[in-house]
């Protein structure tokens, strides 16, 4: 495949994913049909099916891209704070709030992931694919945790992957409840960050 063709394909996929996010925001997962997404993106069904096998694959890819963007934003923020000497763990709540402010979480993302989880509960094959993507996200978070622990000479009460899984579960639970309560995007980040900070305090071994 030529470079031009590769770029064209990547552009098509990106436009379809963007259209899917827009349509989802308006009508939800069930209402976001292939036809509606194609119309919004300005492509034919043929263009869609040359990039995605199904609507399920489209939305799993969208969920993965949202998760990857969040993890990358957090990684970059941690790196910046490490290089500037601002990564101080004496106040975990404040630290986590500073880090998670970069994650870009919002109500749309919370709604998207919630509906995708409901779909995963109803369909075993879809659920298996969702869990595979979630494991990749946990692994990404675990690598960030490992870097912090190694650089700061810290110890955890559990391993990095389990810590990452616990942090993700708490974060998801708090943001979902915040969205239910009518919190805006900034309030969602603050609520989730506060709870994560307290959890980090519990998971860190006291330094002698």
């Amino acid at each position: 495949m030529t470079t031009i063709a590769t770029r064209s394909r990547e552009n098509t996929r990106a436009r379809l994913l963007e259209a899917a996010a827009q349509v989802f925001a308006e009508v939800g997962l069930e209402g976001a049909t292939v036809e509606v997404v194609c119309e919004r993106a300005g492509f034919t069904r043929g263009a869609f099916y040359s990039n995605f096998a199904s609507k399920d694959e489209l939305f799993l890819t969208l969920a993965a891209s949202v998760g990857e963007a969040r993890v990358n934003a957090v990684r970059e923020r941690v790196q910046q704070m490490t290089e500037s000497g601002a990564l101080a763990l004496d106040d975990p709540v404040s630290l986590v709030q500073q880090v998670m402010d970069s994650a870009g979480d919002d109500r749309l993302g919370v709604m998207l992931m919630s509906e995708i989880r409901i779909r995963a509960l109803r369909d075993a094959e879809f659920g298996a694919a969702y869990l595979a993507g979630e494991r990749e996200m946990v692994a990404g978070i675990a690598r960030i945790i490992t870097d912090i622990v190694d650089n700061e000479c810290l110890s955890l009460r559990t391993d990095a992957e389990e810590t990452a899984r616990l942090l993700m579960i708490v974060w998801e639970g708090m943001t979902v409840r915040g969205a239910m309560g009518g919190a805006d995007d900034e309030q969602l980040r603050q609520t989730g960050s506060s709870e994560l900070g307290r959890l980090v305090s519990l998971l860190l071994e006291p330094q002698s």
Side-chain angles (χ1 to χ4, degrees), residues 34-50:
V34 170
E35 289 77 14
V36 173
V37 171
C38 287
E39 182 179 355
R40 179 66 58 88
F43 292 119
T44 63
R45 285 171 59 90
F48 178 93
Y49 285 111
S50 69

mmCIF file of all heavy atoms in Angstrom, residues 34-50:
data_model
loop_
_atom_site.group_PDB
_atom_site.id
_atom_site.type_symbol
_atom_site.label_atom_id
_atom_site.label_comp_id
_atom_site.label_asym_id
_atom_site.label_seq_id
_atom_site.Cartn_x
_atom_site.Cartn_y
_atom_site.Cartn_z
ATOM 1 N N VAL A 34 -25.041 2.544 11.016
ATOM 2 C CA VAL A 34 -23.992 2.687 10.006
ATOM 3 C C VAL A 34 -24.393 3.734 8.979
ATOM 4 O O VAL A 34 -23.581 4.570 8.565
ATOM 5 C CB VAL A 34 -23.728 1.330 9.316
ATOM 6 C CG1 VAL A 34 -22.822 1.508 8.097
ATOM 7 C CG2 VAL A 34 -23.105 0.345 10.295
ATOM 8 N N GLU A 35 -25.655 3.708 8.577
ATOM 9 C CA GLU A 35 -26.127 4.659 7.563
ATOM 10 C C GLU A 35 -25.999 6.105 8.048
ATOM 11 O O GLU A 35 -25.533 6.979 7.293
ATOM 12 C CB GLU A 35 -27.591 4.366 7.216
ATOM 13 C CG GLU A 35 -27.814 3.098 6.435
ATOM 14 C CD GLU A 35 -27.724 1.841 7.299
ATOM 15 O OE1 GLU A 35 -27.753 1.975 8.553
ATOM 16 O OE2 GLU A 35 -27.632 0.744 6.734
ATOM 17 N N VAL A 36 -26.398 6.351 9.284
ATOM 18 C CA VAL A 36 -26.336 7.718 9.821
ATOM 19 C C VAL A 36 -24.890 8.179 9.962
ATOM 20 O O VAL A 36 -24.553 9.322 9.631
ATOM 21 C CB VAL A 36 -27.068 7.788 11.181
ATOM 22 C CG1 VAL A 36 -26.866 9.153 11.818
ATOM 23 C CG2 VAL A 36 -28.548 7.500 11.006
ATOM 24 N N VAL A 37 -24.020 7.290 10.439
ATOM 25 C CA VAL A 37 -22.606 7.640 10.596
ATOM 26 C C VAL A 37 -21.981 7.934 9.230
ATOM 27 O O VAL A 37 -21.238 8.917 9.074
ATOM 28 C CB VAL A 37 -21.835 6.508 11.311
ATOM 29 C CG1 VAL A 37 -20.323 6.769 11.267
ATOM 30 C CG2 VAL A 37 -22.296 6.368 12.757
ATOM 31 N N CYS A 38 -22.286 7.101 8.231
ATOM 32 C CA CYS A 38 -21.751 7.322 6.888
ATOM 33 C C CYS A 38 -22.214 8.659 6.315
ATOM 34 O O CYS A 38 -21.428 9.401 5.710
ATOM 35 C CB CYS A 38 -22.171 6.188 5.956
ATOM 36 S SG CYS A 38 -21.332 4.623 6.250
ATOM 37 N N GLU A 39 -23.488 8.947 6.497
ATOM 38 C CA GLU A 39 -24.027 10.211 5.992
ATOM 39 C C GLU A 39 -23.336 11.394 6.648
ATOM 40 O O GLU A 39 -22.971 12.367 5.982
ATOM 41 C CB GLU A 39 -25.534 10.276 6.251
ATOM 42 C CG GLU A 39 -26.186 11.552 5.711
ATOM 43 C CD GLU A 39 -27.692 11.585 5.949
ATOM 44 O OE1 GLU A 39 -28.234 10.569 6.450
ATOM 45 O OE2 GLU A 39 -28.311 12.610 5.632
ATOM 46 N N ARG A 40 -23.118 11.314 7.966
ATOM 47 C CA ARG A 40 -22.460 12.412 8.683
ATOM 48 C C ARG A 40 -21.014 12.574 8.228
ATOM 49 O O ARG A 40 -20.518 13.699 8.107
ATOM 50 C CB ARG A 40 -22.512 12.139 10.179
ATOM 51 C CG ARG A 40 -21.832 13.216 11.041
ATOM 52 C CD ARG A 40 -22.554 14.565 10.962
ATOM 53 N NE ARG A 40 -23.939 14.437 11.366
ATOM 54 C CZ ARG A 40 -24.367 14.556 12.627
ATOM 55 N NH1 ARG A 40 -23.497 14.813 13.591
ATOM 56 N NH2 ARG A 40 -25.637 14.443 12.927
ATOM 57 N N ALA A 41 -20.342 11.456 7.973
ATOM 58 C CA ALA A 41 -18.934 11.518 7.572
ATOM 59 C C ALA A 41 -18.757 11.850 6.095
ATOM 60 O O ALA A 41 -17.669 12.229 5.659
ATOM 61 C CB ALA A 41 -18.246 10.188 7.876
ATOM 62 N N GLY A 42 -19.843 11.684 5.300
ATOM 63 C CA GLY A 42 -19.751 11.956 3.873
ATOM 64 C C GLY A 42 -19.180 10.794 3.078
ATOM 65 O O GLY A 42 -18.568 10.998 2.018
ATOM 66 N N PHE A 43 -19.395 9.559 3.575
ATOM 67 C CA PHE A 43 -18.891 8.375 2.889
ATOM 68 C C PHE A 43 -20.025 7.410 2.580
ATOM 69 O O PHE A 43 -21.111 7.488 3.151
ATOM 70 C CB PHE A 43 -17.848 7.645 3.752
ATOM 71 C CG PHE A 43 -16.568 8.408 3.939
ATOM 72 C CD1 PHE A 43 -16.154 8.785 5.209
ATOM 73 C CD2 PHE A 43 -15.766 8.732 2.865
ATOM 74 C CE1 PHE A 43 -14.977 9.490 5.397
ATOM 75 C CE2 PHE A 43 -14.585 9.430 3.034
ATOM 76 C CZ PHE A 43 -14.187 9.811 4.303
ATOM 77 N N THR A 44 -19.710 6.462 1.692
ATOM 78 C CA THR A 44 -20.681 5.417 1.368
ATOM 79 C C THR A 44 -20.526 4.255 2.346
ATOM 80 O O THR A 44 -19.545 4.169 3.084
ATOM 81 C CB THR A 44 -20.443 4.887 -0.053
ATOM 82 O OG1 THR A 44 -19.138 4.283 -0.107
ATOM 83 C CG2 THR A 44 -20.516 6.022 -1.065
ATOM 84 N N ARG A 45 -21.495 3.341 2.319
ATOM 85 C CA ARG A 45 -21.397 2.136 3.151
ATOM 86 C C ARG A 45 -20.170 1.313 2.739
ATOM 87 O O ARG A 45 -19.542 0.649 3.574
ATOM 88 C CB ARG A 45 -22.660 1.292 3.009
ATOM 89 C CG ARG A 45 -23.856 1.863 3.748
ATOM 90 C CD ARG A 45 -25.129 1.083 3.382
ATOM 91 N NE ARG A 45 -25.017 -0.329 3.705
ATOM 92 C CZ ARG A 45 -25.365 -0.870 4.864
ATOM 93 N NH1 ARG A 45 -25.843 -0.101 5.828
ATOM 94 N NH2 ARG A 45 -25.250 -2.168 5.065
ATOM 95 N N GLY A 46 -19.829 1.369 1.442
ATOM 96 C CA GLY A 46 -18.653 0.652 0.969
ATOM 97 C C GLY A 46 -17.388 1.148 1.645
ATOM 98 O O GLY A 46 -16.523 0.347 2.024
ATOM 99 N N ALA A 47 -17.276 2.473 1.779
ATOM 100 C CA ALA A 47 -16.111 3.052 2.455
ATOM 101 C C ALA A 47 -16.085 2.634 3.912
ATOM 102 O O ALA A 47 -15.017 2.346 4.476
ATOM 103 C CB ALA A 47 -16.148 4.573 2.338
ATOM 104 N N PHE A 48 -17.273 2.566 4.523
ATOM 105 C CA PHE A 48 -17.344 2.148 5.923
ATOM 106 C C PHE A 48 -16.833 0.726 6.074
ATOM 107 O O PHE A 48 -15.966 0.437 6.918
ATOM 108 C CB PHE A 48 -18.787 2.245 6.429
ATOM 109 C CG PHE A 48 -18.949 1.779 7.851
ATOM 110 C CD1 PHE A 48 -18.880 2.683 8.889
ATOM 111 C CD2 PHE A 48 -19.169 0.441 8.149
ATOM 112 C CE1 PHE A 48 -19.011 2.264 10.218
ATOM 113 C CE2 PHE A 48 -19.311 0.003 9.454
ATOM 114 C CZ PHE A 48 -19.227 0.916 10.491
ATOM 115 N N TYR A 49 -17.376 -0.187 5.261
ATOM 116 C CA TYR A 49 -17.043 -1.599 5.430
ATOM 117 C C TYR A 49 -15.652 -1.956 4.921
ATOM 118 O O TYR A 49 -15.169 -3.064 5.179
ATOM 119 C CB TYR A 49 -18.105 -2.470 4.766
ATOM 120 C CG TYR A 49 -19.382 -2.510 5.573
ATOM 121 C CD1 TYR A 49 -20.546 -1.898 5.112
ATOM 122 C CD2 TYR A 49 -19.415 -3.130 6.819
ATOM 123 C CE1 TYR A 49 -21.714 -1.914 5.873
ATOM 124 C CE2 TYR A 49 -20.570 -3.153 7.583
ATOM 125 C CZ TYR A 49 -21.719 -2.549 7.103
ATOM 126 O OH TYR A 49 -22.861 -2.554 7.866
ATOM 127 N N SER A 50 -15.000 -1.034 4.246
ATOM 128 C CA SER A 50 -13.594 -1.265 3.902
ATOM 129 C C SER A 50 -12.682 -0.914 5.073
ATOM 130 O O SER A 50 -11.485 -1.219 5.042
ATOM 131 C CB SER A 50 -13.201 -0.442 2.671
ATOM 132 O OG SER A 50 -13.178 0.941 2.974
#
